[in-house]
Amino acid sequence: MLASRPIKAMALRRMYSIHSSSKQKTIPDIFKKYHAKEPISMITAYDYITATWAHAAHTDMILVGDSLAMSTLGHVSTVDLDLQEFQYHVRSVCRAPGSSFIIADMPYGSFERSIEQGVETAISLMKTSSRVGAVKLEVGAEENDYCLELAAELCRRGIPVMGHVGLTPQRMHALGGYKVQGAKDLGQALAAYHRAKDLQAAGCFSIVIECIPTKLAGIITEKLSIPTIGIGAGPQTSGQVLVQSDLLGMLPGKAPKFVQKYADFHGDAIGSLCSYVEDVRQGVFPKVGQHTFTVSEELLEEFSKQVD
């Protein structure tokens, strides 16, 4: 019995050492950049491949966004995505190696019924993988918005929350579509500011500001003591996020005004696939020797005898 104690102690030390050597970014790492006034980067990812690219680009944060409903799964809206389908993609993203901090959206329909449902969903998302570091929650413009209470409850339970104000796609019907918020309506502008302050008071570690005029987003950022991540909110926020399929040009059609396209994956992919199809038709792919494997003459001769 005495001899086993050192072995157990060594095993515990090894496990602790392995756990503590993880290089995945944490919330304190994000705040370190924030306090140093270094811009924070965030990119969406929806599967192992896109997550691998995001990690390799050394983005600070990866958002497994419910935007995958439209950009990856062909739905017409983010509200069409259910929790189980979403968690499948969260697991895939979390399998990709890399150091970026990972945040998972809370899909529409997975938290609205009650605080209990919202807490259960958040716990389920955090347990999807140990690499999920936080959840993101969209919050409406109303002073008594239910999601403010939910955000506070999640933070009280030790679940890190990133808030989301301004244009909230899950509420597009209430907002009258995907529209800039606060450009011509003082009430909208003040609502975005007050909800951001409310989310900070609730304990959120960061807030996404979507489709808010640049100068308004800058003032909101200045008035907060937590990082803001802008999308369609200009350069005065603490950081930026873009949908990966938008910035890589994965889909046809015009990208939103606030998107910078850094590639044309859609055009390049179709061109490459057309070249493959034509090579097959012309009989130039595959090439013997370049794309094929050999067999010994003895085995080939014996094989021929057996099949004959």
Side-chain angles (χ1 to χ4, degrees), residues 3-266:
S4 67
R5 288 179 179 171
I7 295 175
K8 288 182 178 179
M10 288 175 63
L12 287 172
R13 281 199 299 272
R14 265 200 311 275
M15 289 173 65
Y16 179 80
S17 176
I18 290 170
H19 179 74
S20 64
S21 65
S22 172
K23 294 182 180 179
Q24 187 171 4
K25 286 184 172 67
T26 63
I27 291 174
D29 292 324
I30 303 303
F31 267 88
K32 184 177 180 180
K33 294 198 72 170
Y34 169 68
H35 290 304
K37 299 189 182 303
E38 298 177 14
I40 300 164
S41 59
M42 184 161 75
I43 301 173
T44 64
Y46 308 124
D47 53 25
Y48 179 85
I49 293 176
T50 53
T52 299
W53 293 343
H55 281 301
H58 304 293
T59 185
D60 296 309
M61 297 187 286
I62 288 175
L63 172 65
V64 191
D66 61 0
S67 52
L68 72 87
M70 302 166 71
S71 65
T72 302
L73 302 180
H75 292 301
V76 297
S77 168
T78 60
V79 304
D80 295 324
L81 183 67
D82 63 45
L83 180 61
Q84 289 71 33
E85 191 173 26
F86 180 68
Q87 284 182 294
Y88 173 87
H89 290 270
V90 174
R91 293 187 189 96
S92 179
V93 166
C94 290
R95 294 187 193 110
S99 62
S100 303
F101 184 71
I102 298 175
I103 303 164
D105 253 329
M106 293 195 47
Y108 180 81
S110 69
F111 59 87
E112 291 89 347
R113 291 190 187 93
S114 65
I115 294 293
E116 291 74 21
Q117 184 203 25
V119 171
E120 183 178 346
T121 294
I123 291 173
S124 178
L125 287 170
M126 296 293 289
K127 287 175 68 67
T128 300
S129 169
S130 60
R131 301 190 69 200
V132 176
V135 296
K136 183 172 78 64
L137 184 64
E138 294 185 12
V139 178
E142 297 78 14
E143 291 183 18
N144 62 343
D145 190 284
Y146 155 79
C147 290
L148 291 172
E149 183 182 354
L150 176 57
E153 185 61 32
L154 294 178
C155 291
R156 279 196 294 268
R157 292 170 185 257
I159 299 172
V161 178
M162 171 181 276
H164 184 153
V165 301
L167 173 61
T168 47
Q170 292 177 0
R171 299 163 187 250
M172 65 167 184
H173 296 300
L175 297 174
Y178 300 104
K179 298 179 179 179
V180 175
Q181 301 296 298
K184 300 179 180 179
D185 188 320
L186 177 60
Q188 287 181 350
L190 289 172
Y193 165 70
H194 288 304
R195 296 302 78 76
K197 293 284 285 186
D198 291 340
L199 285 167
Q200 176 177 271
C204 292
F205 76 93
S206 179
I207 296 174
V208 168
I209 301 178
E210 181 167 358
C211 286
I212 293 285
T214 299
K215 292 182 179 179
L216 295 180
I219 293 172
I220 294 172
T221 298
E222 183 182 345
K223 298 294 183 181
L224 297 176
S225 57
I226 58 175
T228 59
I229 307 298
I231 177 167
Q236 296 179 30
T237 51
S238 311
Q240 301 293 325
V241 60
L242 279 181
V243 173
Q244 188 169 162
S245 57
D246 286 343
L247 72 91
L248 292 180
M250 291 182 175
L251 294 172
K254 186 178 179 180
K257 177 182 180 180
F258 54 79
V259 171
Q260 171 67 46
K261 287 181 67 173
Y262 291 87
D264 181 20
F265 273 31
H266 180 73

